[in-house]
Amino acid sequence: MESQSNSKQKIEIIKKNGSKQRDDVKLSLLIVSTLMDLILSGKTIYPKEGFISHIYIDDKGEEKVEKISVNTIMMWIKRNNIIPETGEVLRDVLDKKRKVYSTDRLEKRRKKLLDDADREIKRTLNIRSNVCVRDNSGNKVIDKDTGGFVRTENPQLLKIKVDTAKFVKERLDPKNWGKIEKKEVKNMSPFSLADLRKAKREKDGIYTGNEA
């Protein structure tokens, strides 16, 4: 961690609205880094304790802990205070970090859902649809010739496996297994069937009854 000097030279900072930032504002890039770390870790910058702990190294190389009041942080944001080292507005920087955290969280949730779906698909594909036949008492039926259990395909389980397999194939191999869209075939001829029949009769020399 970098050192934080109490004897920093005061720099005149002008906000975006043209007003001058107060000289006694203790906002620094190191404090902003602490705020960003809290946001990216999913924690609030307004804890119920009423302050955040900002750790820094002083000019003597000793680690120090400074408590920053929640009210102070809120006023910095409300007044659109500028970060002296970067010239950025504190509010804008924190909003960007919140968006980054939100995007990362959504991506993690998306990945977890995909992993869960993959696991369930694999489990479904591995379901054994060939099951033992049972009698009216629920006991497994034994084949008298082989001594083994009589087995048969469970149509419901088999359908679930087949539907799941088709779903996977359509997603992973859409070129060969993608759904084919049905296209409506339209009659491009501008003539009606009645017109065609009339023309044929006239060609064959058959009287249509419409001649003058």
Side-chain angles (χ1 to χ4, degrees):
M1 286 175 283
E2 301 177 24
S3 64
Q4 178 170 299
S5 175
N6 294 326
S7 58
K8 293 187 297 183
Q9 184 179 359
K10 297 298 181 180
I11 302 175
E12 186 177 87
I13 299 175
I14 306 300
K15 300 180 184 179
K16 287 186 174 181
N17 62 4
S19 64
K20 180 182 176 182
Q21 186 160 297
R22 290 172 49 176
D23 293 336
D24 60 349
V25 173
K26 297 172 62 177
L27 179 61
S28 69
L29 185 58
L30 291 177
I31 294 176
V32 175
S33 296
T34 298
L35 296 176
M36 291 192 297
D37 289 342
L38 288 172
I39 291 174
L40 292 177
S41 63
K43 298 178 182 178
T44 178
I45 60 175
Y46 309 120
K48 60 182 180 181
E49 294 84 4
F51 63 87
I52 65 166
S53 296
H54 165 56
I55 303 174
Y56 66 95
I57 305 298
D58 65 10
D59 294 337
K60 298 179 180 179
E62 297 179 355
E63 185 174 278
K64 299 290 184 180
V65 178
E66 181 181 14
K67 293 182 179 179
I68 309 295
S69 169
V70 166
N71 291 332
T72 298
I73 297 171
M74 293 175 66
M75 290 306 298
W76 287 345
I77 295 174
K78 181 179 179 180
R79 293 173 179 169
N80 288 318
N81 279 351
I82 302 292
I83 305 169
E85 294 90 338
T86 65
E88 298 174 284
V89 179
L90 174 63
R91 180 196 299 272
D92 296 342
V93 171
L94 297 183
D95 285 345
K96 288 178 183 178
K97 288 302 173 184
R98 290 191 182 97
K99 288 181 180 179
V100 170
Y101 170 73
S102 178
T103 301
D104 289 345
R105 184 178 61 175
L106 289 175
E107 182 59 29
K108 288 178 181 178
R109 289 179 60 186
R110 176 178 174 276
K111 186 177 183 305
K112 183 180 183 304
L113 288 174
L114 288 174
D115 290 342
D116 291 344
D118 286 343
R119 184 176 63 253
E120 291 304 315
I121 287 174
K122 290 177 182 177
R123 190 173 72 88
T124 302
L125 290 175
N126 290 327
I127 290 176
R128 187 171 185 177
S129 58
N130 188 274
V131 296
C132 293
V133 176
R134 297 178 181 271
D135 58 23
N136 293 333
S137 299
N139 299 316
K140 295 180 181 179
V141 177
I142 298 177
D143 190 318
K144 296 180 181 180
D145 297 329
T146 64
F149 294 119
V150 177
R151 308 188 69 87
T152 186
E153 285 291 333
N154 183 312
Q156 293 180 331
L157 292 178
L158 185 59
K159 184 179 185 304
I160 291 173
K161 290 186 65 174
V162 171
D163 289 346
T164 302
K166 287 171 61 179
F167 173 81
V168 173
K169 294 290 286 185
E170 288 171 359
R171 293 300 187 275
L172 298 183
D173 188 13
K175 181 178 179 181
N176 296 316
W177 288 83
K179 294 181 179 180
I180 301 175
E181 296 182 0
K182 294 182 179 180
K183 296 183 179 180
E184 182 181 354
V185 179
K186 297 182 178 180
N187 183 9
M188 302 302 293
S189 174
F191 303 103
S192 66
L193 291 177
D195 292 335
L196 293 175
R197 292 194 190 98
K198 180 181 177 181
K200 185 177 186 303
R201 286 196 298 270
E202 291 176 348
K203 180 181 178 182
D204 295 340
I206 301 176
Y207 176 67
T208 62
N210 294 326
E211 286 87 345

